[in-house]
Structure formats: C-alpha cells, structure tokens
C-alpha cells in the first residue's frame, strides 16, 4: 500500500531554478502545460531520491543527475538514476516518484531532473530547489527513560539508547556509531552525551517542568563528518506533582508605613514515605496585582517571610510553590496585609484668663493611596508629667474639606473646665488605612489668684479726697499662696443703689504683692478689685474683693 505523503513546493520555484542553471523547459511541438519539477530530495532516506512533479499528461520518464555541490557548471556528473517508481499520487500526472541512488562518494550533491510525459513534452536539466544529502544517517534506537514518571523522591531521569549509522552506499547494513555526541533536550533542560564503542549513550537530567517533550538528536562528528539526523517524534513525558501543605504564624498583618512585618512557617510535601519537609520552595504573599513579599524555604522546610509596607495587599494569599514546579503542587492560605499610611498632626493650644482651653490644629497625609475615613477624629489628652497617665479630655471631629494628600484638614475645640496645670497633646485616631499620629506634649499652666485683706480708707471720706487701697495680690502654686509682684489688678466701682460695677483703672502691686494706688472720692459706693484684665500668661482671673466707702 503506497504512502500518501507529498512534499509541497511551488512550481515557480522549480522553474526559476531551471533558469538559474541556464536551461529552460522544452515541450513537444504543439503542446502546452508540459512536465514541471516541484522538488527532488532524499527525505533523510539513505540511498533514495524522491522526485515530486506534475504534468497535464502522464509522466513516462524521469532521470535524475547528480553533481558535487561545489563543482562548477559543466562539470561531469557524479552519477544518475532513472529507476523511478511512483511513490504517491492518484495517477501518473501528479505525485512523487522514488528511485535508488548509487554514488561512489559521500557528500552533498546538486540535482537536476529530466522529465517526459505521454504527449512527448519534455523538460531537461530542471534544478531541484533542494540538495541531495548523500551522507551517513545517524538515528537513535532503543531509547529508554528511567523513571518514566519522575517524582519528588526520584527526580533524576536517566536517558539511554544506541546511536546507529546507516551509510547510503549500503543502507541495509546499519551499524553502531561510536564517538557521536547526542543532544538531549527535555523542555527547558539541555544536556549532551557521547556514544561508546557499542554506540550506547547515557545522559542524566532533572526535569524543570511538569510536562515536556524528550528529544535525542545525534550530531555530526569527526567520525561521521556531514552526517544527518532525520527528525523523529519526541517522547512525551510528565512528572508526578505531590500535594503540599504549610503553616503560617499569621494570616493578617497591620503595618504602619515604613515598618516591616514577619511571617514564619513550615512547608511539607506528601510522598510515598509520608509528609516530609519541603526545601528550596518559593513562598510569597501576593494578590492579583501586587507581590508584597517572597522568600524560599530552607533545607528543613522552614521559612521567614519579611513583608514591607511598600504595597498593601488586603485580599492576598500566602502561596507555597508555583504552578510550574515539576514535582509538587502549590498550596495557598488566605492573607491580609493592611498598611496604615503615615499622618502628620499639629496642635496649637493655650489657656485663657478664665481657665478655658482653646485647641486648634490640623492633620494631613502624604501618600496618594491613603484615604480619609468617613468621620476622622482627634483626641485631646492631658497628663501631669507629660510622659505617663494620659487621659482623654475630648474627641474632636476633623473637618475634611479638601480630601487630598498634603493638604491639611483642621480641627478646633474649647474646653471650659480643663486641668489648668498639665501637659497637653493631640492624637489623630487613625483607621486601618491611616496611622495614628500624636503631637509633642506642650505644658500649659495658669495659677489661681486672689486678693487678701482688701480695704479702702479712709472711711468715711470727704468728697474729692483720695482713697487708698490695701491688700495683697497672690497666686497659688501647689498648696502654697505666693505674692504676685508688679501685678496689675483692676479696680471697679458700683455706686450706691446700682447693681453694675464699672471699670475705673489698673492698680499695681509691689515686690511683695501689696496693692498700691489711689483714686479720688466722688460718691458713696462699693469698691472692688480683681485680677481680671491683665492676668499675664500664667495667672487665672481672681474673684472680686469688695469694700464699701461712705463719702460725705
């Protein structure tokens, strides 16, 4: 039964090749569409030539001529053959014909072909587009691969076979070929072996992927110069990928921007001997778009995975292994890496004369990936020593107006009854996306004040005469009252029958806090004095001290 294999080549290629040699097709008188050569090649078959041609009429004569490849035009031929039989095709008008080739010397030869069909049309010296490789053909027989399915415990594959040489001058007498280099290609793995005196070779490799094609290709050598190796079908191989499992010290990590975190664990692989440590395997935290960190297990299957705050991965996985590893499957565990981006908080705070505290400040962040929460807040806190014992005084809402990086958002609050001798700070409360930030403590203090022994004299006094005031201006530090030197208490007067005090002037105090100053008597009424208008940075307003004076 004939094979139906055909070599595809363009008719135009054959015609142009004929023109290249200075010959042109010759047809019988009154005929058209005569013989056309498509190709003449050895098809890696030693001692055979395959001619592919067609014509409008059955082809009745084919003769091939062979010339050494380097010989000049006009050189004598090295041999010829006309013993063609049809190899493929439905009839003699088109197909492939085969004939034996007998030449004295091995080498590469230029081929020309003479064709004649039943109408008498002929073409002579048509040049084949391909060269005849009249060379030793090297093939591999008895190929074996052990194990045929490598696994984690048996990773090394041994490939063996015999290199056989067939000389086209005696194609029926194949012989082992010693000293031949064999290229072994197993997917991405490439190695070589050399055949021994009996033609046998052995190569060892470890697969780098779970499935691959195994090719073994003999190469020309000094013992077989110019030898050719026909293409062969590869051996399809695959590995056994074993299940994998691992532990992780954490499945959630919250990091502040600029910080690093660590996850540790142990990886194992299931083998015929049970679960055992899995060394040299990549472990990574990643989601669809971000690889947050990666490492590799050590000889004992242990790993330490360090994660930075460069990339948040809130919906990620810890993955042990990769899909392309030849002897193991991959395993995953859910993991969430939250990053709290850095914030900056500022505070301006002071105590008023009446003891109230006014606090103002702002908060901002720098990273474009950060976002404000729905209702950001700042907590005002105080402490006696500025180091420990911090207490919350009030929670203040941050008014988000711009909602952009690097643009501060403000807050403000007035406290009516704060601690008047304490350290104060503001803490931005943050959320999973924004880190807390706290201002440096600021010491705010104001001392309570009083006026003791207040007395206006003389009493009674004549109208227009001076009135003098006695008393001591003091402040309280701890449990001790001390004088306020050079103070400026305010003097008020309420006429008899009135309910309203009117400011008169500022008095003073000497170095011991004693009041000094005089006014002229005008009418009956009550005099009052208090530290209320110019208390200074660290004094609270005092209550009024009063004294009634009768003016006559």
């Amino acid at each position: 039964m004939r094979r139906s294999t055909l070599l595809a080549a363009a008719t135009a290629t054959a015609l142009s090749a004929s023109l290249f040699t200075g010959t042109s097709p010759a047809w019988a008188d009154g005929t058209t569409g005569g013989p056309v050569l498509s190709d003449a090649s050895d098809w890696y078959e030693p001692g055979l030539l395959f001619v592919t041609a067609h014509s409008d009429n059955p082809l009745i004569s084919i003769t091939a001529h062979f010339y050494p490849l380097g010989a000049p035009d006009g050189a004598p031929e090295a041999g010829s053959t006309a013993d063609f039989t049809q190899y493929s095709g439905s009839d003699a008008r088109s197909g492939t014909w085969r004939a034996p080739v007998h030449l004295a010397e091995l080498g590469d030869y230029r081929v020309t072909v003479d064709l004649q069909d039943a109408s008498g049309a002929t073409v002579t010296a048509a040049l084949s587009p391909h060269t005849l490789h009249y060379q030793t053909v090297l093939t591999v027989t008895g190929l074996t691969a052990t194990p045929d399915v490598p696994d984690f415990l048996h990773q090394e594959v041994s490939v063996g076979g015999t290199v056989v040489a067939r000389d086209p001058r005696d194609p029926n007498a194949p012989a082992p070929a010693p000293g031949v280099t064999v290229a072994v290609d197993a997917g991405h793995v490439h190695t070589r072996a050399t055949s021994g005196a009996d033609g046998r070779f052995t190569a060892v490799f470890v697969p780098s992927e779970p499935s691959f094609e195994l090719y073994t290709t003999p190469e020309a050598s000094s013992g077989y110069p110019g030898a050719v190796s026909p293409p062969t079908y590869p051996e399809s191989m695959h590995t056994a990928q074993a299940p994998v499992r691992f532990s992780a010290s954490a499945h959630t990590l919250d990091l502040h921007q600029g910080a690093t975190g660590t996850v540790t664990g142990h990886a194992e692989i299931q083998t015929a001997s049970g679960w055992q440590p899995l060394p040299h395997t990549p472990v990574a935290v990643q989601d669809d778009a971000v690889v947050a960190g990666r490492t590799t297990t050590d000889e004992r299957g242990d790993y330490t995975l360090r994660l930075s705050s460069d990339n948040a991965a809130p919906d990620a996985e810890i993955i042990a292994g990769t899909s392309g590893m030849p002897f193991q499957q991959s395993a995953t565990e859910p993991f969430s890496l939250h990053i709290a981006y850095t914030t900056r908080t500022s505070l301006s705070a002071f105590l008023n004369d009446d003891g109230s505290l006014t606090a103002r400040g702002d908060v901002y962040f720098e990273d474009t990936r950060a976002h404000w929460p729905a209702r950001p807040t700042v907590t005002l806190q105080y402490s006696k020593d500025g180091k420990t014992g911090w207490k919350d005084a009030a929670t203040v809402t941050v008014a988000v107006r711009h909602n952009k990086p690097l643009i501060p958002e403000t807050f403000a609050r007035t406290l009516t009854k704060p601690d008047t001798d304490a350290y104060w700070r503001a803490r931005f409360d943050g959320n999973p996306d924004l880190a807390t930030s706290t201002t440096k403590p600021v010491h705010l203090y104001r001392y309570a004040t009083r006026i003791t022994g207040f007395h206006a004299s003389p009493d009674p006094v004549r109208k227009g005469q001076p009135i003098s005031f006695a008393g001591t201006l003091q402040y309280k530090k701890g449990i001790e009252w001390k004088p306020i030197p050079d103070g400026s208490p305010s003097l008020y007067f309420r006429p008899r029958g009135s309910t309203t005090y009117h400011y008169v002037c500022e008095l003073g105090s000497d170095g011991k806090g004693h009041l000094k100053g005089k006014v002229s008597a005008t009418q009956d009424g009550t005099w009052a004095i208090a530290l209320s208008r110019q208390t200074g940075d660290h004094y609270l307003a005092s209550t009024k001290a009063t004294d009634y004076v009768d003016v006559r």
Side-chain angles (χ1 to χ4, degrees):
M1 186 173 182
R2 295 177 176 174
R3 291 191 299 174
S4 60
T5 304
L6 294 175
L7 295 178
T11 301
T13 303
L15 291 175
S16 62
S18 297
L19 294 175
F20 175 77
T21 61
T23 61
S24 60
W27 291 282
D29 293 341
T31 64
T32 59
V36 176
L37 175 69
S38 296
D39 189 33
S41 175
D42 54 80
W43 285 12
Y44 293 101
E45 293 283 351
L48 293 176
L49 180 70
F50 296 83
V51 170
T52 302
H54 64 272
S55 183
D56 288 346
N57 295 285
L59 291 168
I60 60 174
S61 175
I62 302 175
T63 302
H65 306 273
F66 308 104
Y67 303 87
L69 191 60
D73 289 343
E77 64 181 34
S80 64
T81 183
D83 190 15
F84 283 93
T85 58
Q86 190 160 7
Y87 180 69
S88 67
S90 58
D91 58 42
R93 290 179 298 176
S94 178
T96 299
W97 286 259
R98 180 176 66 180
V101 177
H102 301 286
L103 298 172
E105 301 293 335
L106 297 177
D108 293 336
Y109 291 86
R110 186 171 72 248
V111 181
T112 65
V113 179
D114 303 333
L115 301 169
Q116 184 179 7
D117 67 15
S119 71
T122 61
V123 61
T124 59
L127 179 64
S128 169
H130 290 99
T131 299
L132 171 69
H133 300 292
Y134 196 70
Q135 303 280 10
T136 301
V137 175
L138 299 176
T139 57
V140 172
T141 62
L143 182 66
T144 60
T146 306
D148 57 349
V149 181
D151 59 26
F152 181 78
L153 296 179
H154 311 91
Q155 299 184 11
E156 196 171 77
V157 178
S158 177
V159 178
T162 301
V163 182
V164 173
R166 287 195 297 166
D167 190 317
R169 294 168 296 186
D170 189 8
N172 295 319
V180 173
T181 298
V182 180
V184 178
D185 298 305
H188 297 303
V189 178
H190 309 285
T191 188
R192 279 176 163 74
T194 301
S195 61
D198 58 354
R200 292 283 302 167
F201 71 91
T202 300
V204 176
F205 69 91
V206 175
S208 64
E209 52 201 309
S211 60
F212 55 92
E213 303 292 328
L214 175 64
Y215 291 87
T216 52
T217 307
E219 299 176 346
S221 63
S222 58
Y224 301 93
V228 295
S229 180
T232 58
Y233 291 105
E235 296 285 335
S236 294
M237 296 189 67
H238 65 88
T239 62
Q241 292 177 291
V244 169
R245 69 183 183 186
F246 67 94
S247 63
S249 60
H251 287 81
T252 300
L253 204 59
D254 296 307
L255 295 180
H256 286 182
Q257 188 175 10
T260 58
T262 301
V263 177
T264 59
H266 179 73
E268 295 178 313
I269 187 168
Q270 188 177 39
T271 69
S273 302
W275 290 96
Q276 64 182 60
L278 178 60
H280 314 305
T281 293
V283 178
V285 167
Q286 68 181 78
D287 61 16
D288 291 338
V290 174
V291 177
R294 55 162 56 97
T295 188
T296 303
T297 58
D298 62 17
E299 292 287 347
R300 300 180 300 275
D302 298 327
Y303 69 89
T304 298
L305 182 61
R306 291 179 174 82
L307 303 173
S308 75
S309 61
D310 293 338
N311 291 295
D315 300 309
E317 291 180 319
I318 304 180
I319 304 174
T322 64
S323 60
M325 299 192 75
F327 304 111
Q328 65 188 69
Q329 301 172 7
S330 60
T332 63
E333 292 284 346
F335 191 83
S336 180
L337 176 61
H338 286 95
I339 306 302
Y341 295 102
T342 300
T343 60
R344 312 289 182 185
T345 303
S346 67
L347 174 67
S348 173
F350 56 89
L351 290 167
N352 301 304
D353 292 350
D354 61 359
S356 63
L357 180 144
T358 299
R360 300 185 184 92
D362 58 56
V363 184
Y364 71 92
F365 56 84
E366 299 176 355
D367 201 291
T368 57
R369 294 168 292 184
H371 301 282
W372 288 107
R375 291 179 59 85
T377 58
V378 166
T379 300
L380 299 177
Q381 299 177 313
Y382 65 96
S383 164
K384 282 299 183 181
D385 60 7
K387 298 178 181 178
T388 60
W390 288 98
K391 298 178 180 180
D392 294 345
T395 298
V396 186
T397 299
V398 178
V400 178
R401 295 183 175 89
H402 307 285
N403 200 20
K404 294 181 179 179
L406 295 172
I407 299 181
E409 307 290 2
T410 60
F411 62 90
R413 174 64 64 87
T414 297
L415 304 181
T416 57
K417 294 182 179 181
D419 190 317
T420 56
D421 186 2
Y423 289 84
W424 289 85
R425 70 184 186 182
R427 185 197 68 201
F428 174 64
D429 296 322
N431 70 346
D433 293 327
L434 292 175
T436 60
S437 57
T438 305
T439 62
K440 292 182 178 180
V442 56
H443 188 195
L444 301 178
Y445 59 93
R446 278 185 182 265
Y447 302 125
T449 62
R450 71 181 181 181
I451 299 174
T452 62
F454 178 65
H455 177 66
S457 63
D459 179 23
V461 64
R462 291 184 180 276
K463 186 176 182 178
Q465 294 299 309
I467 298 174
S468 298
F469 302 97
T472 303
L473 181 61
Q474 297 177 321
Y475 73 97
K476 187 179 183 181
K477 186 173 183 180
I479 61 174
E480 183 180 359
W481 286 94
K482 296 183 178 184
I484 300 177
D486 304 320
S488 301
S490 301
L491 183 66
Y492 301 88
F493 179 70
R494 186 182 70 189
R496 186 179 65 181
S498 174
T499 59
T500 304
Y501 280 98
H502 302 282
Y503 171 76
V504 178
C505 66
E506 299 293 319
L507 298 183
S509 66
D510 62 16
K512 296 182 178 181
H514 298 151
L515 297 178
K516 58 182 182 178
K518 297 179 179 181
V519 297
S520 296
T522 58
Q523 57 181 323
D524 297 344
T526 302
W527 294 94
I529 192 166
L531 192 63
S532 60
R533 293 167 61 89
Q534 297 181 17
T535 61
D537 292 338
H538 299 299
Y539 298 117
L540 295 171
S542 66
T543 58
K544 290 182 175 69
T546 62
D547 190 19
Y548 185 84
V549 175
D550 182 15
V551 177
R552 298 177 179 179

